[in-house]
Amino acid sequence: MFCGFIRTHCYKVAIAALAALVFLEYGFGVFYDERGRINEAYFTFNLTAPRLWGGLQNSSDVSYSATSNMTLIALQSSNSSDPYQLDLLVDSLNFTGKPLMCPLVSPLLVGRTNVSKIAMPMEAFQEKYSPLLGPGGRYRPPDCHAHYKVAIIIPYRKREEHLQLFIQHMHPFLQRQQIDYGIFVVEQSGDTPFNRAMLMNIGAAEALRQDEFQCFVFHDVDLLPEDDRNTYSCPEQPRHMSVAIDVFKYRLPYEGLFGGVSAMTTEHFIKVNGFSNLFWGWGGEDDDMSSRIKYHKLIISRYPPSTARYTMLSHKKARPNPNRYRVMRNGARRSKVDGLSNLKYKRIELEMKPLYIHILVSIKPS
Ligand code: UDP
Ligand code: MN
């Protein structure tokens, strides 16, 4: 009836609404379903991109991060949805005389422990740990304010058993260190050669869309730290963490090694333009990062092998990529144009699981 009068206008409005929906869906990927999954969208690396999922959507979401009554009440009565503002709010509670920053050495550390290679049923683990965790398995120490926000980035495909063990090992381990952390599992879809480095670039980009992480730990899923004095933070220089691995008789295989587990501040990671996107298949990407680090006058640092110890879970050895030496040539100079600056990927799904953030992506050579 109404349309009968202004049919042309209705038509235009309908077209405009449809265009807006398509733009929102493909430009920003803002639609997510009730299980906390964000649907398919295309992305590049963009530091100024709006955070689509703040992690902390409203004040009730943050209650897991505060046990001190004073802090809890203040957080609950605030309407701020910005995690950074909430941090400032926590800081402003200093005058209460409650402990504010976590101590430099956590009192919860136990030192060297045996690493279990037998996972408990995931449901049982989840039941025990998810009450301590925020959406996507995000953790903040309950009694003090952590020094850093650390994003643990796991490149992943078809290692389900390892992932279970990893998740079950890392939550208690990181919580003993009183770290504010999120675990991002970035899974490559399809059967194209695995690109570990590109998945790490994607993990960093996705983490920064969620929160102001100051530190990245890039972590193979099959390496489990044995000693919680091996702190998961980013010191002043890029840090190679998996110094002493059981299968290598706890000895560093070679000096320039940056593979396995390594940590870099967000600032340094952006400075070196992230990892190269050109390493398809096994090998080379970590050495390429070593040369980026040197080229930018940074130094690889390490903690002593007595604490930087890891147990490696066993798997079939991958066939090395025979092209890796060719790609590595001119690596340092190429670093300007190959990395975060030309990263492109299709995010098939982002799911805030109870114990970690799962990001399924489709990638291809550009
Ligand atoms: N990876 C994976 N699926 C694969 C290949 C690699 O999840 O098919 C990830 C996983 O995190 C693994 C890391 O990439 O720990 C390094 O690969 P891999 O373990 O094969 O390397 P290696 O231990 O031989 O250096
Ligand atoms: Mn491995």
PDB file of all heavy atoms in Angstrom, residues 163-185:
ATOM      1  N   LEU A 163      47.590 -30.786  20.060  1.00  0.00           N
ATOM      2  CA  LEU A 163      46.897 -29.572  20.496  1.00  0.00           C
ATOM      3  C   LEU A 163      46.246 -29.776  21.866  1.00  0.00           C
ATOM      4  O   LEU A 163      46.318 -28.906  22.734  1.00  0.00           O
ATOM      5  CB  LEU A 163      45.848 -29.151  19.449  1.00  0.00           C
ATOM      6  CG  LEU A 163      45.104 -27.852  19.761  1.00  0.00           C
ATOM      7  CD1 LEU A 163      46.071 -26.669  19.887  1.00  0.00           C
ATOM      8  CD2 LEU A 163      44.061 -27.546  18.688  1.00  0.00           C
ATOM      9  N   GLN A 164      45.651 -30.940  22.058  1.00  0.00           N
ATOM     10  CA  GLN A 164      45.022 -31.239  23.367  1.00  0.00           C
ATOM     11  C   GLN A 164      46.049 -31.186  24.490  1.00  0.00           C
ATOM     12  O   GLN A 164      45.833 -30.561  25.523  1.00  0.00           O
ATOM     13  CB  GLN A 164      44.421 -32.639  23.340  1.00  0.00           C
ATOM     14  CG  GLN A 164      43.068 -32.685  22.701  1.00  0.00           C
ATOM     15  CD  GLN A 164      42.297 -33.926  23.144  1.00  0.00           C
ATOM     16  OE1 GLN A 164      42.661 -34.596  24.108  1.00  0.00           O
ATOM     17  NE2 GLN A 164      41.234 -34.241  22.435  1.00  0.00           N
ATOM     18  N   LEU A 165      47.179 -31.870  24.263  1.00  0.00           N
ATOM     19  CA  LEU A 165      48.236 -31.878  25.284  1.00  0.00           C
ATOM     20  C   LEU A 165      48.772 -30.473  25.527  1.00  0.00           C
ATOM     21  O   LEU A 165      49.014 -30.068  26.662  1.00  0.00           O
ATOM     22  CB  LEU A 165      49.377 -32.795  24.849  1.00  0.00           C
ATOM     23  CG  LEU A 165      49.157 -34.278  25.097  1.00  0.00           C
ATOM     24  CD1 LEU A 165      50.170 -35.102  24.311  1.00  0.00           C
ATOM     25  CD2 LEU A 165      49.292 -34.584  26.595  1.00  0.00           C
ATOM     26  N   PHE A 166      48.945 -29.746  24.436  1.00  0.00           N
ATOM     27  CA  PHE A 166      49.479 -28.383  24.531  1.00  0.00           C
ATOM     28  C   PHE A 166      48.560 -27.509  25.395  1.00  0.00           C
ATOM     29  O   PHE A 166      49.015 -26.841  26.328  1.00  0.00           O
ATOM     30  CB  PHE A 166      49.621 -27.786  23.122  1.00  0.00           C
ATOM     31  CG  PHE A 166      50.138 -26.377  23.124  1.00  0.00           C
ATOM     32  CD1 PHE A 166      51.498 -26.123  23.171  1.00  0.00           C
ATOM     33  CD2 PHE A 166      49.262 -25.296  23.103  1.00  0.00           C
ATOM     34  CE1 PHE A 166      51.978 -24.820  23.200  1.00  0.00           C
ATOM     35  CE2 PHE A 166      49.737 -23.995  23.130  1.00  0.00           C
ATOM     36  CZ  PHE A 166      51.097 -23.753  23.168  1.00  0.00           C
ATOM     37  N   ILE A 167      47.284 -27.534  25.075  1.00  0.00           N
ATOM     38  CA  ILE A 167      46.315 -26.690  25.804  1.00  0.00           C
ATOM     39  C   ILE A 167      46.294 -27.081  27.279  1.00  0.00           C
ATOM     40  O   ILE A 167      46.294 -26.227  28.164  1.00  0.00           O
ATOM     41  CB  ILE A 167      44.905 -26.848  25.163  1.00  0.00           C
ATOM     42  CG1 ILE A 167      44.891 -26.224  23.760  1.00  0.00           C
ATOM     43  CG2 ILE A 167      43.818 -26.247  26.047  1.00  0.00           C
ATOM     44  CD1 ILE A 167      45.083 -24.734  23.717  1.00  0.00           C
ATOM     45  N   GLN A 168      46.314 -28.383  27.532  1.00  0.00           N
ATOM     46  CA  GLN A 168      46.231 -28.837  28.927  1.00  0.00           C
ATOM     47  C   GLN A 168      47.516 -28.541  29.698  1.00  0.00           C
ATOM     48  O   GLN A 168      47.508 -28.372  30.906  1.00  0.00           O
ATOM     49  CB  GLN A 168      45.913 -30.333  28.969  1.00  0.00           C
ATOM     50  CG  GLN A 168      44.533 -30.616  28.401  1.00  0.00           C
ATOM     51  CD  GLN A 168      44.051 -32.030  28.658  1.00  0.00           C
ATOM     52  OE1 GLN A 168      44.633 -32.785  29.424  1.00  0.00           O
ATOM     53  NE2 GLN A 168      42.953 -32.396  28.001  1.00  0.00           N
ATOM     54  N   HIS A 169      48.632 -28.472  28.985  1.00  0.00           N
ATOM     55  CA  HIS A 169      49.890 -28.145  29.647  1.00  0.00           C
ATOM     56  C   HIS A 169      50.005 -26.631  29.867  1.00  0.00           C
ATOM     57  O   HIS A 169      50.474 -26.173  30.910  1.00  0.00           O
ATOM     58  CB  HIS A 169      51.061 -28.636  28.789  1.00  0.00           C
ATOM     59  CG  HIS A 169      52.394 -28.412  29.423  1.00  0.00           C
ATOM     60  ND1 HIS A 169      52.847 -29.175  30.476  1.00  0.00           N
ATOM     61  CD2 HIS A 169      53.368 -27.492  29.168  1.00  0.00           C
ATOM     62  CE1 HIS A 169      54.041 -28.746  30.842  1.00  0.00           C
ATOM     63  NE2 HIS A 169      54.372 -27.721  30.065  1.00  0.00           N
ATOM     64  N   MET A 170      49.602 -25.854  28.861  1.00  0.00           N
ATOM     65  CA  MET A 170      49.916 -24.420  28.879  1.00  0.00           C
ATOM     66  C   MET A 170      49.046 -23.596  29.831  1.00  0.00           C
ATOM     67  O   MET A 170      49.540 -22.636  30.413  1.00  0.00           O
ATOM     68  CB  MET A 170      49.823 -23.836  27.458  1.00  0.00           C
ATOM     69  CG  MET A 170      50.897 -24.323  26.516  1.00  0.00           C
ATOM     70  SD  MET A 170      52.588 -24.290  27.161  1.00  0.00           S
ATOM     71  CE  MET A 170      52.937 -22.534  27.135  1.00  0.00           C
ATOM     72  N   HIS A 171      47.786 -23.930  29.986  1.00  0.00           N
ATOM     73  CA  HIS A 171      46.968 -23.098  30.895  1.00  0.00           C
ATOM     74  C   HIS A 171      47.531 -23.089  32.321  1.00  0.00           C
ATOM     75  O   HIS A 171      47.805 -22.004  32.854  1.00  0.00           O
ATOM     76  CB  HIS A 171      45.498 -23.515  30.861  1.00  0.00           C
ATOM     77  CG  HIS A 171      44.741 -22.899  29.709  1.00  0.00           C
ATOM     78  ND1 HIS A 171      44.561 -21.539  29.586  1.00  0.00           N
ATOM     79  CD2 HIS A 171      44.140 -23.454  28.634  1.00  0.00           C
ATOM     80  CE1 HIS A 171      43.879 -21.279  28.485  1.00  0.00           C
ATOM     81  NE2 HIS A 171      43.612 -22.426  27.882  1.00  0.00           N
ATOM     82  N   PRO A 172      47.733 -24.263  32.931  1.00  0.00           N
ATOM     83  CA  PRO A 172      48.311 -24.217  34.289  1.00  0.00           C
ATOM     84  C   PRO A 172      49.698 -23.570  34.314  1.00  0.00           C
ATOM     85  O   PRO A 172      50.019 -22.808  35.219  1.00  0.00           O
ATOM     86  CB  PRO A 172      48.414 -25.699  34.702  1.00  0.00           C
ATOM     87  CG  PRO A 172      47.665 -26.484  33.688  1.00  0.00           C
ATOM     88  CD  PRO A 172      47.421 -25.630  32.497  1.00  0.00           C
ATOM     89  N   PHE A 173      50.497 -23.846  33.292  1.00  0.00           N
ATOM     90  CA  PHE A 173      51.868 -23.311  33.219  1.00  0.00           C
ATOM     91  C   PHE A 173      51.848 -21.775  33.196  1.00  0.00           C
ATOM     92  O   PHE A 173      52.522 -21.110  33.980  1.00  0.00           O
ATOM     93  CB  PHE A 173      52.540 -23.881  31.956  1.00  0.00           C
ATOM     94  CG  PHE A 173      53.943 -23.399  31.713  1.00  0.00           C
ATOM     95  CD1 PHE A 173      55.022 -24.121  32.184  1.00  0.00           C
ATOM     96  CD2 PHE A 173      54.180 -22.234  30.988  1.00  0.00           C
ATOM     97  CE1 PHE A 173      56.319 -23.691  31.948  1.00  0.00           C
ATOM     98  CE2 PHE A 173      55.473 -21.792  30.751  1.00  0.00           C
ATOM     99  CZ  PHE A 173      56.547 -22.518  31.231  1.00  0.00           C
ATOM    100  N   LEU A 174      51.043 -21.205  32.288  1.00  0.00           N
ATOM    101  CA  LEU A 174      51.016 -19.740  32.143  1.00  0.00           C
ATOM    102  C   LEU A 174      50.349 -19.073  33.341  1.00  0.00           C
ATOM    103  O   LEU A 174      50.715 -17.970  33.736  1.00  0.00           O
ATOM    104  CB  LEU A 174      50.290 -19.358  30.842  1.00  0.00           C
ATOM    105  CG  LEU A 174      51.014 -19.782  29.561  1.00  0.00           C
ATOM    106  CD1 LEU A 174      50.099 -19.652  28.354  1.00  0.00           C
ATOM    107  CD2 LEU A 174      52.281 -18.944  29.356  1.00  0.00           C
ATOM    108  N   GLN A 175      49.383 -19.773  33.925  1.00  0.00           N
ATOM    109  CA  GLN A 175      48.717 -19.185  35.086  1.00  0.00           C
ATOM    110  C   GLN A 175      49.666 -19.112  36.283  1.00  0.00           C
ATOM    111  O   GLN A 175      49.613 -18.161  37.056  1.00  0.00           O
ATOM    112  CB  GLN A 175      47.446 -19.968  35.406  1.00  0.00           C
ATOM    113  CG  GLN A 175      46.392 -19.701  34.340  1.00  0.00           C
ATOM    114  CD  GLN A 175      45.128 -20.515  34.491  1.00  0.00           C
ATOM    115  OE1 GLN A 175      44.868 -21.084  35.550  1.00  0.00           O
ATOM    116  NE2 GLN A 175      44.341 -20.572  33.428  1.00  0.00           N
ATOM    117  N   ARG A 176      50.547 -20.093  36.395  1.00  0.00           N
ATOM    118  CA  ARG A 176      51.549 -20.023  37.475  1.00  0.00           C
ATOM    119  C   ARG A 176      52.478 -18.822  37.278  1.00  0.00           C
ATOM    120  O   ARG A 176      53.048 -18.320  38.227  1.00  0.00           O
ATOM    121  CB  ARG A 176      52.372 -21.319  37.530  1.00  0.00           C
ATOM    122  CG  ARG A 176      51.597 -22.542  38.011  1.00  0.00           C
ATOM    123  CD  ARG A 176      52.527 -23.623  38.542  1.00  0.00           C
ATOM    124  NE  ARG A 176      53.468 -24.150  37.580  1.00  0.00           N
ATOM    125  CZ  ARG A 176      53.189 -25.096  36.666  1.00  0.00           C
ATOM    126  NH1 ARG A 176      51.978 -25.626  36.607  1.00  0.00           N
ATOM    127  NH2 ARG A 176      54.126 -25.531  35.843  1.00  0.00           N
ATOM    128  N   GLN A 177      52.627 -18.394  36.034  1.00  0.00           N
ATOM    129  CA  GLN A 177      53.504 -17.235  35.766  1.00  0.00           C
ATOM    130  C   GLN A 177      52.778 -15.902  35.919  1.00  0.00           C
ATOM    131  O   GLN A 177      53.378 -14.840  35.698  1.00  0.00           O
ATOM    132  CB  GLN A 177      54.087 -17.351  34.357  1.00  0.00           C
ATOM    133  CG  GLN A 177      54.980 -18.564  34.168  1.00  0.00           C
ATOM    134  CD  GLN A 177      55.741 -18.530  32.865  1.00  0.00           C
ATOM    135  OE1 GLN A 177      55.401 -17.811  31.934  1.00  0.00           O
ATOM    136  NE2 GLN A 177      56.794 -19.335  32.791  1.00  0.00           N
ATOM    137  N   GLN A 178      51.518 -15.933  36.263  1.00  0.00           N
ATOM    138  CA  GLN A 178      50.704 -14.710  36.454  1.00  0.00           C
ATOM    139  C   GLN A 178      50.748 -13.793  35.226  1.00  0.00           C
ATOM    140  O   GLN A 178      50.996 -12.589  35.336  1.00  0.00           O
ATOM    141  CB  GLN A 178      51.167 -13.956  37.689  1.00  0.00           C
ATOM    142  CG  GLN A 178      50.991 -14.769  38.976  1.00  0.00           C
ATOM    143  CD  GLN A 178      51.293 -13.953  40.210  1.00  0.00           C
ATOM    144  OE1 GLN A 178      52.327 -13.293  40.286  1.00  0.00           O
ATOM    145  NE2 GLN A 178      50.404 -13.995  41.195  1.00  0.00           N
ATOM    146  N   ILE A 179      50.500 -14.413  34.082  1.00  0.00           N
ATOM    147  CA  ILE A 179      50.536 -13.652  32.826  1.00  0.00           C
ATOM    148  C   ILE A 179      49.113 -13.407  32.328  1.00  0.00           C
ATOM    149  O   ILE A 179      48.238 -14.257  32.498  1.00  0.00           O
ATOM    150  CB  ILE A 179      51.371 -14.433  31.785  1.00  0.00           C
ATOM    151  CG1 ILE A 179      52.847 -14.342  32.170  1.00  0.00           C
ATOM    152  CG2 ILE A 179      51.166 -13.909  30.381  1.00  0.00           C
ATOM    153  CD1 ILE A 179      53.735 -15.232  31.373  1.00  0.00           C
ATOM    154  N   ASP A 180      48.903 -12.265  31.717  1.00  0.00           N
ATOM    155  CA  ASP A 180      47.647 -11.970  31.026  1.00  0.00           C
ATOM    156  C   ASP A 180      47.823 -12.485  29.596  1.00  0.00           C
ATOM    157  O   ASP A 180      48.626 -11.936  28.839  1.00  0.00           O
ATOM    158  CB  ASP A 180      47.449 -10.453  31.062  1.00  0.00           C
ATOM    159  CG  ASP A 180      46.209  -9.995  30.314  1.00  0.00           C
ATOM    160  OD1 ASP A 180      45.715 -10.740  29.454  1.00  0.00           O
ATOM    161  OD2 ASP A 180      45.747  -8.870  30.593  1.00  0.00           O
ATOM    162  N   TYR A 181      47.151 -13.570  29.268  1.00  0.00           N
ATOM    163  CA  TYR A 181      47.438 -14.192  27.968  1.00  0.00           C
ATOM    164  C   TYR A 181      46.187 -14.644  27.225  1.00  0.00           C
ATOM    165  O   TYR A 181      45.127 -14.847  27.812  1.00  0.00           O
ATOM    166  CB  TYR A 181      48.373 -15.402  28.147  1.00  0.00           C
ATOM    167  CG  TYR A 181      47.720 -16.568  28.893  1.00  0.00           C
ATOM    168  CD1 TYR A 181      46.962 -17.532  28.219  1.00  0.00           C
ATOM    169  CD2 TYR A 181      47.848 -16.681  30.271  1.00  0.00           C
ATOM    170  CE1 TYR A 181      46.367 -18.582  28.891  1.00  0.00           C
ATOM    171  CE2 TYR A 181      47.251 -17.731  30.959  1.00  0.00           C
ATOM    172  CZ  TYR A 181      46.506 -18.677  30.257  1.00  0.00           C
ATOM    173  OH  TYR A 181      45.902 -19.704  30.934  1.00  0.00           O
ATOM    174  N   GLY A 182      46.362 -14.817  25.901  1.00  0.00           N
ATOM    175  CA  GLY A 182      45.353 -15.434  25.043  1.00  0.00           C
ATOM    176  C   GLY A 182      46.071 -16.412  24.135  1.00  0.00           C
ATOM    177  O   GLY A 182      47.211 -16.159  23.727  1.00  0.00           O
ATOM    178  N   ILE A 183      45.428 -17.561  23.845  1.00  0.00           N
ATOM    179  CA  ILE A 183      46.040 -18.559  22.962  1.00  0.00           C
ATOM    180  C   ILE A 183      45.294 -18.540  21.622  1.00  0.00           C
ATOM    181  O   ILE A 183      44.083 -18.773  21.583  1.00  0.00           O
ATOM    182  CB  ILE A 183      45.989 -19.966  23.593  1.00  0.00           C
ATOM    183  CG1 ILE A 183      46.758 -19.968  24.924  1.00  0.00           C
ATOM    184  CG2 ILE A 183      46.546 -21.025  22.640  1.00  0.00           C
ATOM    185  CD1 ILE A 183      46.728 -21.293  25.680  1.00  0.00           C
ATOM    186  N   PHE A 184      46.026 -18.242  20.550  1.00  0.00           N
ATOM    187  CA  PHE A 184      45.427 -18.147  19.211  1.00  0.00           C
ATOM    188  C   PHE A 184      45.919 -19.323  18.365  1.00  0.00           C
ATOM    189  O   PHE A 184      47.112 -19.383  18.030  1.00  0.00           O
ATOM    190  CB  PHE A 184      45.830 -16.835  18.531  1.00  0.00           C
ATOM    191  CG  PHE A 184      45.274 -15.621  19.224  1.00  0.00           C
ATOM    192  CD1 PHE A 184      45.874 -15.125  20.379  1.00  0.00           C
ATOM    193  CD2 PHE A 184      44.147 -14.982  18.740  1.00  0.00           C
ATOM    194  CE1 PHE A 184      45.355 -14.021  21.033  1.00  0.00           C
ATOM    195  CE2 PHE A 184      43.618 -13.870  19.385  1.00  0.00           C
ATOM    196  CZ  PHE A 184      44.219 -13.383  20.539  1.00  0.00           C
ATOM    197  N   VAL A 185      45.017 -20.246  18.054  1.00  0.00           N
ATOM    198  CA  VAL A 185      45.368 -21.396  17.215  1.00  0.00           C
ATOM    199  C   VAL A 185      44.946 -21.059  15.787  1.00  0.00           C
ATOM    200  O   VAL A 185      43.757 -20.910  15.504  1.00  0.00           O
ATOM    201  CB  VAL A 185      44.656 -22.675  17.712  1.00  0.00           C
ATOM    202  CG1 VAL A 185      44.935 -23.846  16.778  1.00  0.00           C
ATOM    203  CG2 VAL A 185      45.096 -22.998  19.139  1.00  0.00           C
TER     204      VAL A 185
END
